Amino acid sequence: MLETYAPMAIMAVLGLILGKILFSAKPDNQDKTVASKSDSKEDSDTDETYALEWRNRYLAARVKYLEERLSEKTSSKAKAKAKPKAKAPAKSKTKAAAKPKK
C-alpha cells in the first residue's frame, strides 16, 4: 500500500517546496523607514492625480464639443423660424378685374 502512495507523496512534498521557493513573498528590507513608505504612497497618489487630471481635461473638451453642437442645432432652428417662408406669387390684378362687354 505504501508503494502506491509513495510517488504521490513525494510529488506533493516537492510541489510544496517549489511553491514555497517560487511564490513566497519577497522579504522586507528592514532598512526602509516610514518616510520611504509614504514616498511610495505619494508616488501612487501622484500617478492617480495625473490620470484624473487627464480624464477631467477629456471630459471638459467633450462637454465643450457637445455644447457647441447643441448651440448649432438651436441656432439653425432659430434661423428657420426667423426666416419667413416664401409666399405663393400674387395673382395679377388685371386679370381679376372684370372687363365690361360692349
Side-chain angles (χ1 to χ4, degrees):
M1 187 158 173
L2 184 60
E3 297 169 358
T4 59
Y5 293 115
M8 284 191 277
I10 293 170
M11 286 191 297
V13 170
L14 286 174
L16 288 173
I17 293 170
L18 285 174
K20 181 70 174 169
I21 292 170
L22 295 175
F23 300 111
S24 66
K26 305 283 183 209
D28 288 337
N29 294 337
Q30 297 299 327
D31 298 334
K32 288 185 178 180
T33 61
V34 174
S36 66
K37 287 182 181 178
S38 67
D39 287 342
S40 64
K41 186 176 182 182
E42 288 176 7
D43 288 341
S44 67
D45 287 344
T46 304
D47 293 341
E48 290 174 5
T49 303
Y50 184 75
L52 284 174
E53 286 175 2
W54 276 102
R55 176 125 176 100
N56 285 340
R57 288 180 189 170
Y58 167 76
L59 292 173
R62 183 79 178 144
V63 166
K64 185 178 177 182
Y65 168 75
L66 292 173
E67 286 176 345
E68 288 175 0
R69 295 267 319 259
L70 183 63
S71 67
E72 288 174 3
K73 285 183 180 179
T74 56
S75 65
S76 66
K77 286 181 182 177
K79 286 181 184 177
K81 286 182 181 178
K83 186 187 271 187
K85 294 183 179 180
K87 294 182 179 179
K91 296 181 181 179
S92 66
K93 293 182 181 180
T94 58
K95 202 173 194 183
K99 294 183 180 178
K101 291 187 177 181
K102 290 186 179 177

